[in-house]
Amino acid sequence: MSDPFAAYADKRDRLAAQLHEGEGIVGLAKDTSNLFRDRADISKRALDVRAFRGVLQVDREAGFVEAEGMVPYELLVDACLKRGAMPAVVPELKTITLGGAVAGIGVESTSHRHGLVHETVLELEVLTGDGRILVCRPDNEHADLFYGLPNSYGTLGYALRVKARTAAVKPFVHVEHLPFTDAQAFFEELGQRCRADDADFIDGTVFAPDRLYLTLGRFAPDAPYASDYTYKHIYYRSIPRKREDWLSVRDFIWRWDTDWFWCSKNLYAQNPLVRRLLGRKRLGSRSYTRIMRWNSRVGLTRRIERMRGQHSESVIQDVDVPLARAAEYLEFHAREIGIWPTWICPIGPCADAARFALYPLRAETYVNFGFWDVIRTRAEHPPGHFNRMIEDKVIELGGIKSLYSQSFFARQEFDRAYGGDAYYRLKEKYDPGRVFPELYDKCVLGH
C-alpha cells in the first residue's frame, strides 16, 4: 500500500485477529531481543510481529516521529536523520526496537535533558490481552496503560505504534573528555553540567575508581575532521587518550554499537587480526548477540569454566541511583563487584516521571550505572549472589533497576520495588484472560 498508515492498520487488524486464534499464553515471533537474562522454555503460541518495522512519518517542525513498534533504532535513526532530526533519546544499540525501548527502559546521553525513552512518548497504540486496540495518551481514558507499560516487558500488551518526540540535529558532534581522579568531584561536576544544560549529550566512563571521564557532546555545523570508530579504531579506548574529538552525528549516535560498549573483548573482536577477519559489516551488536545466544544454547563457556574449576555469574545490569548517592554506589561497586569499565549516564527529572507505575522516579537527577560482564570465582556462591547484592544496595540508596536482566527479588520485595498492586490492577483491566505471561514470573523467575 502506498499509504503507510493504511498498511499499518491492515497489519494491526490482522494481528489482533490472530490473537483470538487458539488458546494459551502468547509471545512475540521476532528476529532480535536485547533481554539479557536466562529464560526457561515455556509453551506458548507466537504472534508474528516482524512486519511492524515501518517508519510512518517524521515531522521535524512539529518535533515528533511516528513508527511501528518493531522498527529497530538503526532504521528509525536513518529515517529521522534524512529530515534533520533524531529520536529525542536513542538507546545505544542498533538492534533495540522502538516498542522494546518503551516496554523496557531506554537511556542514553540525551537523557539528562529528555529523560528515559518512555518519557519522550506522546502516544501509544497497544494490542491488549483481550484483543482490543487501544490508543493511549497521558490525557485520555487509557492514561493508566500509557503510564503502566514501561518496564512491563510485554505482559500488559504490545505497543504496535509509537509516537515520540524528536530533537533537531546538526551534521557533527564536538566531543570533550574531562578526566577526574576523585568520584565525588566527578559527580559534582556531572550535576553542575546537567543543571547548566550547556551540552547536547552527557555521559561518562569509569575505568577504575580513580580514573573517571566525563564526556560532553555538542552539535556542530562543521568539523575539522571526523573520527571513524566503526572498524579499525575503538571508541572507548579513545576516551583516555583524547581531550576532544569530532564525529559525524550518525557515528556519534552509534559510537557504542561497534564494540558493544567494550564487551566485544569477550569475543576477541578487539584483536586487530580478528577484527580484520570479521570485517566492518560484522562488527556490531547484531553479530555479538547472535554469538552470545549460540553460546547460551550450547553451553560452551559453562563447560570450559567447569573444567577450570570456576564458578561464574552473569552480571548484566543497568541501575539508576539518585545523583546525591552516586558516589556511595560507586564505592560499593569498586569494593564488591569490580566490573570495569562502567558506563555513567545522567537522567534528568521529568514532570511525569513519578506517574510511571513500574518505573517511578522522583523529581531529581539520577545516574545510570551500566556494567555488563561475568564474575568468575573459585568459591561457589548461591545463585544470584552478586546480582542480589546489587539489588539490595540500589534499594538501600533509593534507586531502581530495570528488568531486562536477571533479577532475584522475593515476591514481597518485587511488589515493593515495582508497585505490584498497581501492576496487578492493570493486569486485571487489560489482560483479564492472562494471555501474556505475568511480569513476576517472566522476569523474576526467569521465564
Side-chain angles (χ1 to χ4, degrees), residues 137-165:
R137 291 190 296 272
D139 57 355
N140 73 358
E141 68 272 25
H142 303 301
D144 55 352
L145 183 56
F146 179 91
Y147 286 108
L149 203 67
N151 211 33
S152 68
Y153 292 87
T155 67
L156 296 175
Y158 295 135
L160 303 181
R161 179 179 60 82
V162 180
K163 182 178 180 181
R165 293 199 308 274

mmCIF file of all heavy atoms in Angstrom, residues 137-165:
data_model
loop_
_atom_site.group_PDB
_atom_site.id
_atom_site.type_symbol
_atom_site.label_atom_id
_atom_site.label_comp_id
_atom_site.label_asym_id
_atom_site.label_seq_id
_atom_site.Cartn_x
_atom_site.Cartn_y
_atom_site.Cartn_z
ATOM 1 N N ARG A 137 -2.822 7.791 25.619
ATOM 2 C CA ARG A 137 -2.140 9.073 25.773
ATOM 3 C C ARG A 137 -2.153 9.479 27.246
ATOM 4 O O ARG A 137 -2.955 8.948 28.025
ATOM 5 C CB ARG A 137 -2.819 10.153 24.925
ATOM 6 C CG ARG A 137 -2.656 9.976 23.426
ATOM 7 C CD ARG A 137 -3.155 11.206 22.672
ATOM 8 N NE ARG A 137 -4.587 11.417 22.865
ATOM 9 C CZ ARG A 137 -5.536 10.873 22.102
ATOM 10 N NH1 ARG A 137 -5.208 10.081 21.085
ATOM 11 N NH2 ARG A 137 -6.805 11.125 22.346
ATOM 12 N N PRO A 138 -1.322 10.427 27.627
ATOM 13 C CA PRO A 138 -1.307 10.844 29.040
ATOM 14 C C PRO A 138 -2.611 11.465 29.513
ATOM 15 O O PRO A 138 -2.856 11.519 30.723
ATOM 16 C CB PRO A 138 -0.180 11.890 29.091
ATOM 17 C CG PRO A 138 0.643 11.655 27.882
ATOM 18 C CD PRO A 138 -0.286 11.114 26.838
ATOM 19 N N ASP A 139 -3.466 11.901 28.564
ATOM 20 C CA ASP A 139 -4.652 12.655 28.957
ATOM 21 C C ASP A 139 -5.954 12.001 28.501
ATOM 22 O O ASP A 139 -6.998 12.652 28.486
ATOM 23 C CB ASP A 139 -4.583 14.069 28.397
ATOM 24 C CG ASP A 139 -4.421 14.084 26.872
ATOM 25 O OD1 ASP A 139 -4.267 12.993 26.267
ATOM 26 O OD2 ASP A 139 -4.448 15.184 26.285
ATOM 27 N N ASN A 140 -5.931 10.716 28.113
ATOM 28 C CA ASN A 140 -7.193 10.111 27.682
ATOM 29 C C ASN A 140 -7.611 8.993 28.631
ATOM 30 O O ASN A 140 -6.998 8.795 29.701
ATOM 31 C CB ASN A 140 -7.129 9.640 26.227
ATOM 32 C CG ASN A 140 -6.278 8.386 26.028
ATOM 33 O OD1 ASN A 140 -5.682 7.854 26.966
ATOM 34 N ND2 ASN A 140 -6.202 7.922 24.791
ATOM 35 N N GLU A 141 -8.643 8.245 28.254
ATOM 36 C CA GLU A 141 -9.206 7.243 29.166
ATOM 37 C C GLU A 141 -8.281 6.057 29.407
ATOM 38 O O GLU A 141 -8.527 5.237 30.304
ATOM 39 C CB GLU A 141 -10.561 6.753 28.624
ATOM 40 C CG GLU A 141 -10.489 5.936 27.332
ATOM 41 C CD GLU A 141 -10.546 6.801 26.088
ATOM 42 O OE1 GLU A 141 -10.164 7.997 26.163
ATOM 43 O OE2 GLU A 141 -10.977 6.281 25.036
ATOM 44 N N HIS A 142 -7.210 5.930 28.609
ATOM 45 C CA HIS A 142 -6.255 4.834 28.797
ATOM 46 C C HIS A 142 -4.915 5.338 29.292
ATOM 47 O O HIS A 142 -3.876 4.718 29.051
ATOM 48 C CB HIS A 142 -6.090 4.058 27.492
ATOM 49 C CG HIS A 142 -7.375 3.506 26.954
ATOM 50 N ND1 HIS A 142 -8.153 2.624 27.677
ATOM 51 C CD2 HIS A 142 -8.033 3.738 25.783
ATOM 52 C CE1 HIS A 142 -9.231 2.330 26.974
ATOM 53 N NE2 HIS A 142 -9.185 2.987 25.825
ATOM 54 N N ALA A 143 -4.938 6.448 30.019
ATOM 55 C CA ALA A 143 -3.705 7.018 30.557
ATOM 56 C C ALA A 143 -3.029 6.052 31.525
ATOM 57 O O ALA A 143 -1.796 6.020 31.625
ATOM 58 C CB ALA A 143 -3.996 8.342 31.257
ATOM 59 N N ASP A 144 -3.836 5.230 32.242
ATOM 60 C CA ASP A 144 -3.212 4.299 33.188
ATOM 61 C C ASP A 144 -2.355 3.261 32.464
ATOM 62 O O ASP A 144 -1.290 2.877 32.956
ATOM 63 C CB ASP A 144 -4.263 3.623 34.075
ATOM 64 C CG ASP A 144 -5.367 2.918 33.286
ATOM 65 O OD1 ASP A 144 -5.412 3.081 32.044
ATOM 66 O OD2 ASP A 144 -6.181 2.220 33.904
ATOM 67 N N LEU A 145 -2.763 2.833 31.269
ATOM 68 C CA LEU A 145 -1.941 1.903 30.498
ATOM 69 C C LEU A 145 -0.730 2.621 29.903
ATOM 70 O O LEU A 145 0.362 2.059 29.830
ATOM 71 C CB LEU A 145 -2.770 1.246 29.395
ATOM 72 C CG LEU A 145 -2.053 0.175 28.548
ATOM 73 C CD1 LEU A 145 -1.482 -0.928 29.430
ATOM 74 C CD2 LEU A 145 -2.997 -0.404 27.507
ATOM 75 N N PHE A 146 -0.929 3.872 29.482
ATOM 76 C CA PHE A 146 0.187 4.675 28.981
ATOM 77 C C PHE A 146 1.293 4.740 30.036
ATOM 78 O O PHE A 146 2.479 4.560 29.728
ATOM 79 C CB PHE A 146 -0.306 6.079 28.631
ATOM 80 C CG PHE A 146 0.767 7.002 28.129
ATOM 81 C CD1 PHE A 146 1.037 7.107 26.771
ATOM 82 C CD2 PHE A 146 1.510 7.786 29.013
ATOM 83 C CE1 PHE A 146 2.025 7.960 26.303
ATOM 84 C CE2 PHE A 146 2.499 8.646 28.551
ATOM 85 C CZ PHE A 146 2.758 8.725 27.194
ATOM 86 N N TYR A 147 0.922 4.983 31.279
ATOM 87 C CA TYR A 147 1.904 5.101 32.351
ATOM 88 C C TYR A 147 2.285 3.750 32.955
ATOM 89 O O TYR A 147 3.229 3.672 33.735
ATOM 90 C CB TYR A 147 1.380 6.025 33.445
ATOM 91 C CG TYR A 147 1.391 7.485 33.052
ATOM 92 C CD1 TYR A 147 0.205 8.172 32.785
ATOM 93 C CD2 TYR A 147 2.587 8.178 32.924
ATOM 94 C CE1 TYR A 147 0.220 9.521 32.419
ATOM 95 C CE2 TYR A 147 2.611 9.521 32.552
ATOM 96 C CZ TYR A 147 1.430 10.179 32.295
ATOM 97 O OH TYR A 147 1.457 11.502 31.928
ATOM 98 N N GLY A 148 1.565 2.689 32.601
ATOM 99 C CA GLY A 148 1.875 1.372 33.157
ATOM 100 C C GLY A 148 2.733 0.505 32.260
ATOM 101 O O GLY A 148 3.345 -0.461 32.724
ATOM 102 N N LEU A 149 2.820 0.840 30.967
ATOM 103 C CA LEU A 149 3.513 -0.039 30.027
ATOM 104 C C LEU A 149 5.030 -0.094 30.224
ATOM 105 O O LEU A 149 5.624 -1.177 30.142
ATOM 106 C CB LEU A 149 3.178 0.377 28.599
ATOM 107 C CG LEU A 149 3.339 -0.720 27.535
ATOM 108 C CD1 LEU A 149 2.316 -1.825 27.751
ATOM 109 C CD2 LEU A 149 3.195 -0.124 26.146
ATOM 110 N N PRO A 150 5.728 1.023 30.483
ATOM 111 C CA PRO A 150 7.185 0.955 30.641
ATOM 112 C C PRO A 150 7.610 0.030 31.783
ATOM 113 O O PRO A 150 7.057 0.078 32.881
ATOM 114 C CB PRO A 150 7.574 2.411 30.924
ATOM 115 C CG PRO A 150 6.501 3.206 30.243
ATOM 116 C CD PRO A 150 5.244 2.422 30.467
ATOM 117 N N ASN A 151 8.587 -0.803 31.493
ATOM 118 C CA ASN A 151 9.135 -1.821 32.402
ATOM 119 C C ASN A 151 8.183 -3.003 32.596
ATOM 120 O O ASN A 151 8.382 -3.821 33.493
ATOM 121 C CB ASN A 151 9.506 -1.229 33.763
ATOM 122 C CG ASN A 151 10.677 -1.962 34.407
ATOM 123 O OD1 ASN A 151 11.574 -2.449 33.718
ATOM 124 N ND2 ASN A 151 10.683 -2.041 35.726
ATOM 125 N N SER A 152 7.151 -3.123 31.752
ATOM 126 C CA SER A 152 6.230 -4.262 31.847
ATOM 127 C C SER A 152 6.618 -5.401 30.913
ATOM 128 O O SER A 152 6.092 -6.503 31.030
ATOM 129 C CB SER A 152 4.800 -3.819 31.534
ATOM 130 O OG SER A 152 4.670 -3.449 30.169
ATOM 131 N N TYR A 153 7.493 -5.166 29.944
ATOM 132 C CA TYR A 153 8.060 -6.203 29.087
ATOM 133 C C TYR A 153 7.017 -7.096 28.430
ATOM 134 O O TYR A 153 7.104 -8.316 28.474
ATOM 135 C CB TYR A 153 9.086 -7.032 29.877
ATOM 136 C CG TYR A 153 10.299 -6.205 30.201
ATOM 137 C CD1 TYR A 153 10.336 -5.420 31.349
ATOM 138 C CD2 TYR A 153 11.382 -6.150 29.333
ATOM 139 C CE1 TYR A 153 11.422 -4.615 31.620
ATOM 140 C CE2 TYR A 153 12.472 -5.355 29.597
ATOM 141 C CZ TYR A 153 12.487 -4.581 30.741
ATOM 142 O OH TYR A 153 13.567 -3.775 30.999
ATOM 143 N N GLY A 154 6.027 -6.482 27.811
ATOM 144 C CA GLY A 154 5.054 -7.245 27.047
ATOM 145 C C GLY A 154 4.075 -8.048 27.863
ATOM 146 O O GLY A 154 3.406 -8.941 27.335
ATOM 147 N N THR A 155 3.937 -7.746 29.133
ATOM 148 C CA THR A 155 2.996 -8.502 29.969
ATOM 149 C C THR A 155 1.656 -7.800 30.135
ATOM 150 O O THR A 155 0.725 -8.377 30.701
ATOM 151 C CB THR A 155 3.596 -8.748 31.372
ATOM 152 O OG1 THR A 155 3.726 -7.495 32.049
ATOM 153 C CG2 THR A 155 4.957 -9.419 31.268
ATOM 154 N N LEU A 156 1.533 -6.563 29.655
ATOM 155 C CA LEU A 156 0.263 -5.840 29.681
ATOM 156 C C LEU A 156 -0.282 -5.611 28.280
ATOM 157 O O LEU A 156 -1.436 -5.216 28.114
ATOM 158 C CB LEU A 156 0.434 -4.480 30.378
ATOM 159 C CG LEU A 156 0.827 -4.507 31.849
ATOM 160 C CD1 LEU A 156 1.075 -3.095 32.356
ATOM 161 C CD2 LEU A 156 -0.249 -5.193 32.686
ATOM 162 N N GLY A 157 0.536 -5.839 27.263
ATOM 163 C CA GLY A 157 0.144 -5.598 25.887
ATOM 164 C C GLY A 157 1.369 -5.239 25.066
ATOM 165 O O GLY A 157 2.460 -5.031 25.603
ATOM 166 N N TYR A 158 1.175 -5.175 23.748
ATOM 167 C CA TYR A 158 2.266 -4.869 22.836
ATOM 168 C C TYR A 158 2.034 -3.508 22.178
ATOM 169 O O TYR A 158 0.946 -3.234 21.659
ATOM 170 C CB TYR A 158 2.388 -5.938 21.758
ATOM 171 C CG TYR A 158 2.783 -7.297 22.293
ATOM 172 C CD1 TYR A 158 2.136 -8.449 21.873
ATOM 173 C CD2 TYR A 158 3.809 -7.422 23.224
ATOM 174 C CE1 TYR A 158 2.492 -9.692 22.361
ATOM 175 C CE2 TYR A 158 4.173 -8.659 23.719
ATOM 176 C CZ TYR A 158 3.516 -9.798 23.287
ATOM 177 O OH TYR A 158 3.881 -11.025 23.782
ATOM 178 N N ALA A 159 3.058 -2.671 22.199
ATOM 179 C CA ALA A 159 2.979 -1.363 21.543
ATOM 180 C C ALA A 159 3.213 -1.566 20.048
ATOM 181 O O ALA A 159 4.332 -1.848 19.624
ATOM 182 C CB ALA A 159 4.015 -0.414 22.125
ATOM 183 N N LEU A 160 2.159 -1.424 19.259
ATOM 184 C CA LEU A 160 2.256 -1.635 17.817
ATOM 185 C C LEU A 160 2.603 -0.352 17.074
ATOM 186 O O LEU A 160 3.185 -0.394 15.993
ATOM 187 C CB LEU A 160 0.937 -2.188 17.279
ATOM 188 C CG LEU A 160 0.456 -3.495 17.911
ATOM 189 C CD1 LEU A 160 -0.850 -3.932 17.260
ATOM 190 C CD2 LEU A 160 1.513 -4.584 17.797
ATOM 191 N N ARG A 161 2.206 0.787 17.621
ATOM 192 C CA ARG A 161 2.535 2.087 17.015
ATOM 193 C C ARG A 161 2.937 3.040 18.136
ATOM 194 O O ARG A 161 2.303 3.080 19.189
ATOM 195 C CB ARG A 161 1.331 2.655 16.260
ATOM 196 C CG ARG A 161 1.580 4.030 15.626
ATOM 197 C CD ARG A 161 0.346 4.531 14.877
ATOM 198 N NE ARG A 161 -0.820 4.669 15.732
ATOM 199 C CZ ARG A 161 -1.065 5.722 16.509
ATOM 200 N NH1 ARG A 161 -0.207 6.734 16.562
ATOM 201 N NH2 ARG A 161 -2.170 5.762 17.248
ATOM 202 N N VAL A 162 4.005 3.803 17.886
ATOM 203 C CA VAL A 162 4.536 4.718 18.896
ATOM 204 C C VAL A 162 4.761 6.083 18.256
ATOM 205 O O VAL A 162 5.333 6.178 17.170
ATOM 206 C CB VAL A 162 5.873 4.200 19.475
ATOM 207 C CG1 VAL A 162 6.408 5.173 20.526
ATOM 208 C CG2 VAL A 162 5.707 2.808 20.074
ATOM 209 N N LYS A 163 4.302 7.107 18.923
ATOM 210 C CA LYS A 163 4.579 8.488 18.530
ATOM 211 C C LYS A 163 5.441 9.099 19.626
ATOM 212 O O LYS A 163 5.065 9.097 20.798
ATOM 213 C CB LYS A 163 3.274 9.278 18.377
ATOM 214 C CG LYS A 163 3.445 10.712 17.914
ATOM 215 C CD LYS A 163 2.072 11.382 17.752
ATOM 216 C CE LYS A 163 2.182 12.829 17.290
ATOM 217 N NZ LYS A 163 0.848 13.456 17.164
ATOM 218 N N ALA A 164 6.625 9.600 19.236
ATOM 219 C CA ALA A 164 7.570 10.076 20.234
ATOM 220 C C ALA A 164 8.245 11.357 19.766
ATOM 221 O O ALA A 164 8.304 11.656 18.571
ATOM 222 C CB ALA A 164 8.621 9.007 20.523
ATOM 223 N N ARG A 165 8.788 12.089 20.719
ATOM 224 C CA ARG A 165 9.429 13.361 20.412
ATOM 225 C C ARG A 165 10.768 13.162 19.704
ATOM 226 O O ARG A 165 11.457 12.155 19.917
ATOM 227 C CB ARG A 165 9.657 14.181 21.687
ATOM 228 C CG ARG A 165 8.385 14.657 22.356
ATOM 229 C CD ARG A 165 8.679 15.814 23.302
ATOM 230 N NE ARG A 165 9.742 15.502 24.250
ATOM 231 C CZ ARG A 165 9.549 14.893 25.415
ATOM 232 N NH1 ARG A 165 8.323 14.536 25.774
ATOM 233 N NH2 ARG A 165 10.550 14.663 26.224
#
